[in-house]
Amino acid sequence: MNDFCPTFRFKQFGVDDRRSALRVGTDGVLVGAWAVAPQGAIRMLDVGAGCGVIALMLAQRYADALITASEIDAGSVDDLRLNILNSPWSDRISVAEGDFNGVDGVFDLIASNPPYFTNGELAPDASRARARHASCLSPVSLIRYAAAHLSPDGVLAMITPVEQAPCIEAEAAFARLSLKRRTDVATSPRRGVTRTLWEFTKAPCVLPTPDRLDLNSDDYRILTRDFYLHF
């Protein structure tokens, strides 16, 4: 553990993402900080875990949680295992290598930062292409998985490009998942919304009014202050 040299350090853990298909980014941190597990939640699943940022953030936030981190890319799995081993919560996070559809069980929280390219050419690097392209892991596949694997009060939390909203809303309705919470994300008050944070559940909900989060705001600093060193 003393030889561990993270490429990105948070307040209570560090991550090495040098072998991961995608590096640490704002979207993953947003999901890890924004997702809210139901009261008494124990079993949680991070889908497309990458180097493990979301799983580690959930472990920090929920002291009783048992977390499964699912990842298909071999290089990312190497970083994921190393980062978990060198975290304070290695006894509560397990790795499921392979397609997340093969992960069995019922979960109180499923969280994900899924790929966001749905068409166009794949990147030359195969692992980076998988991580960025929705051909392997899409919001639609997440919604379908969640419909089958969420506990009765469980929630699915994920982030997507805002332009995918109509498709996601339609797929969730088809899967009989209710929208519980929605936050639209912009880089600043003057910019348009580029991302949407979604929270779906099996229980019926009154359709919420979306709120907005600007990354250059006190609200964002408050949301992430338990994690970022400089907040």
Side-chain angles (χ1 to χ4, degrees):
M1 184 174 293
N2 292 333
D3 294 331
F4 181 54
C5 296
T7 53
F8 199 102
R9 181 162 290 284
F10 294 87
K11 285 183 177 176
Q12 294 191 35
F13 63 91
V15 293
D16 186 339
D17 62 359
R18 284 171 288 191
R19 291 168 291 188
S20 297
L22 284 182
R23 300 296 176 90
V24 174
T26 302
D27 286 2
V29 173
L30 275 169
V31 174
W34 182 86
V36 176
Q39 186 174 6
I42 296 295
R43 294 205 63 192
M44 302 183 184
L45 174 65
D46 175 7
V47 178
C51 64
V53 169
I54 294 175
L56 291 163
M57 292 176 73
L58 293 176
Q60 177 180 326
R61 292 176 59 202
Y62 296 100
D64 296 325
L66 301 175
I67 300 161
T68 301
S70 172
E71 177 54 54
I72 197 170
D73 174 68
S76 300
V77 168
D78 288 341
D79 282 343
L80 177 61
R81 293 187 190 279
L82 178 69
N83 295 333
I84 292 170
L85 179 65
N86 285 279
S87 79
W89 313 291
S90 59
D91 59 331
R92 295 195 287 113
I93 308 175
S94 60
V95 175
E97 185 172 2
D99 188 332
F100 76 98
N101 286 292
V103 178
D104 255 341
V106 175
F107 298 95
D108 303 309
L109 172 64
I110 299 173
S112 184
N113 171 24
Y116 50 84
F117 291 158
T118 57
N119 49 42
E121 292 185 6
L122 294 179
D125 182 278
S127 63
R128 192 168 296 271
R130 276 197 302 273
R132 299 184 70 185
H133 206 279
S135 59
C136 300
L137 164 60
S138 69
V140 168
S141 63
L142 273 170
I143 288 168
R144 293 174 181 174
Y145 179 90
H149 292 271
L150 280 177
S151 63
D153 295 321
V155 295
L156 165 66
M158 64 180 180
I159 189 168
T160 69
V162 67
E163 57 266 23
Q164 294 182 4
C167 174
I168 289 168
E169 290 169 340
E171 186 63 33
F174 182 77
R176 297 185 178 180
L177 293 181
S178 299
L179 180 61
K180 186 175 181 180
R181 194 162 52 113
R182 172 178 171 172
T183 297
D184 293 329
V185 182
T187 54
S188 73
R190 295 189 182 92
R191 301 275 185 171
V193 169
T194 59
R195 295 282 189 269
T196 296
L197 288 155
W198 305 89
E199 185 180 279
F200 291 103
T201 186
K202 287 183 173 181
C205 298
V206 175
L207 188 65
T209 300
D211 57 11
R212 174 173 167 137
L213 177 66
D214 296 316
L215 298 183
N216 185 22
S217 70
D218 287 340
D219 287 341
Y220 178 67
R221 285 184 279 275
I222 290 169
L223 179 68
T224 58
R225 64 185 174 188
D226 290 339
F227 305 101
Y228 283 133
L229 286 174
H230 55 281
F231 283 3

